[in-house]
Amino acid sequence: MSGSGGAPRTVEVAEHVWAHLQPDGGWCLNNAGLIAPAGGRPVLIDTAATEARARALKEAVARVTPYAPRFVVNTHAHGDHTFGNRFFADRALVVAHEGARAEMALAGLHLTRLWPDVPWGEVRVELPGLTYRDRLTLHPGEFPVELIHPGTAHTAGDTVVWLPEQRVLFTGDIVMSGVTPFCLTGSVSGSLAVVEELRALGPETVVAGHGPVGGPELLDATAGYLRRVQRLAEEGAAAGLTPLEAAREADLGPYAELLDAERLVPNLHRAYAEAAGAPPGHGLDVETMFCEMVEYHGGLPACAA
């Protein structure tokens, strides 16, 4: 399996809790999680983008526990976190926020058409069989697994997975680790509000949607980047610049080395719209934002899935 940063690895982050990491966390190289309490009712958090990566994830799960996942939780609708559902759905119930299910049904396999040269394999859209609206608690074993919809952030249908006894938080793509946050279909202001909600939980270990495992400092870095986007939007609008023009002139300071810097363009579109009064998640022209991001990058960003 080829990748831009090395082979996937599965690391134990707390007793009965693992993170499955796909370096380097760039486009479609997402993280997953596994909760495998004594008693054999594992919870898998997200799957993977391609058939090969989903099968590798399945093998990684089997090395940790002899039991197949009972639940698969999708933190949001994007295909890198959901296309592998089909390889677990014969034994597992897929769970997500109701907004994520709707977005999955609408988007279909669109992601595969953006990068047609990626060896996607026999992926398909496997919709969640169980959805929730605000909170849902799973009881796979001796400790609870809390699913929380904190509001519109990365998307309008985000879920974070919180383990209060272990103080472990799986954020999905609301939080990134060494990777540029992305609000194409979500919200900059909403993400900032949600990060503060997550901080209030008091996590000690944070597993982001992409990139290495960290702690609360990942919340700080995500918030710092998003606040800088808001400042750039304010300055760009005052100067009469479009979001693309503002991105080309932007000084990202300490965030300049984050992976996938081209996401600045749609993030600025969101920040411009919100500064003008648009609510979080307001419908914008996603295709135009994506095309301008590609223009800023000088071509379609590489996807090593």
Side-chain angles (χ1 to χ4, degrees):
M1 181 187 303
S2 64
S4 60
R9 58 193 184 94
T10 305
V11 298
E12 190 170 10
V13 297
E15 188 175 13
H16 305 302
V17 185
W18 287 261
H20 182 77
L21 309 175
Q22 297 194 102
D24 58 1
W27 289 100
C28 297
L29 295 174
N30 65 297
N31 295 331
L34 176 65
I35 303 164
R41 292 191 292 257
V43 177
L44 182 65
I45 304 166
D46 285 332
T47 55
T50 68
E51 178 177 357
R53 289 186 176 275
R55 291 192 181 280
L57 173 59
K58 197 168 189 176
E59 293 171 2
V61 169
R63 288 193 292 270
V64 170
T65 172
Y67 302 102
R70 181 74 61 90
F71 302 98
V72 172
V73 177
N74 290 149
T75 60
H76 59 288
H78 294 163
D80 51 336
H81 296 255
T82 64
F83 283 170
N85 286 0
R86 63 158 296 199
F87 301 103
F88 298 90
D90 58 334
R91 303 283 296 277
L93 177 64
V94 181
V95 185
H97 183 261
E98 60 186 12
R101 188 184 195 278
E103 187 177 342
M104 288 169 64
L106 182 64
L109 294 173
H110 177 69
L111 187 65
T112 65
R113 297 192 290 276
L114 294 178
W115 284 285
D117 294 333
V118 167
W120 297 100
E122 296 299 318
V123 295
R124 67 166 183 249
V125 177
E126 182 74 37
L127 294 176
L130 174 65
T131 61
Y132 75 102
R133 185 163 297 168
D134 297 312
R135 285 178 176 251
L136 178 68
T137 302
L138 303 178
H139 297 277
E142 65 270 30
F143 56 86
V145 176
E146 297 184 6
L147 311 187
I148 303 170
H149 171 61
T152 298
H154 178 61
T155 72
D158 292 320
T159 290
V160 300
V161 180
W162 170 234
L163 305 178
E165 294 187 14
Q166 295 85 353
R167 318 306 295 176
V168 175
L169 179 66
F170 290 86
T171 68
D173 286 0
I174 296 171
V175 174
M176 302 289 198
S177 178
V179 181
T180 302
F182 196 32
C183 300
L184 181 71
T185 61
S187 171
V188 174
S189 60
S191 292
L192 281 165
V194 164
V195 166
E196 293 312 306
E197 289 186 45
L198 302 185
R199 195 190 309 279
L201 293 172
E204 296 176 0
T205 302
V206 176
V207 183
H210 295 249
V213 175
E217 75 280 355
L218 299 185
L219 304 178
D220 299 336
T222 296
Y225 169 84
L226 293 170
R227 285 193 295 267
R228 195 174 193 96
V229 168
Q230 288 182 324
R231 289 196 299 272
L232 290 170
E234 181 181 353
E235 293 166 1
L241 302 177
T242 67
L244 178 57
E245 291 168 341
R248 286 174 169 155
E249 294 191 10
D251 175 8
L252 285 171
Y255 310 104
E257 300 304 316
L258 294 177
L259 289 179
D260 307 326
E262 62 275 0
R263 293 173 178 172
L264 175 62
V265 179
N267 292 341
L268 282 170
H269 271 278
R270 284 283 165 198
Y272 269 60
E274 290 167 3
H282 178 74
L284 297 178
D285 188 338
V286 171
E287 183 175 350
T288 294
M289 289 191 289
F290 192 89
C291 288
E292 287 189 7
M293 180 179 70
V294 171
E295 182 180 348
Y296 172 90
H297 183 72
L300 186 66
C303 174

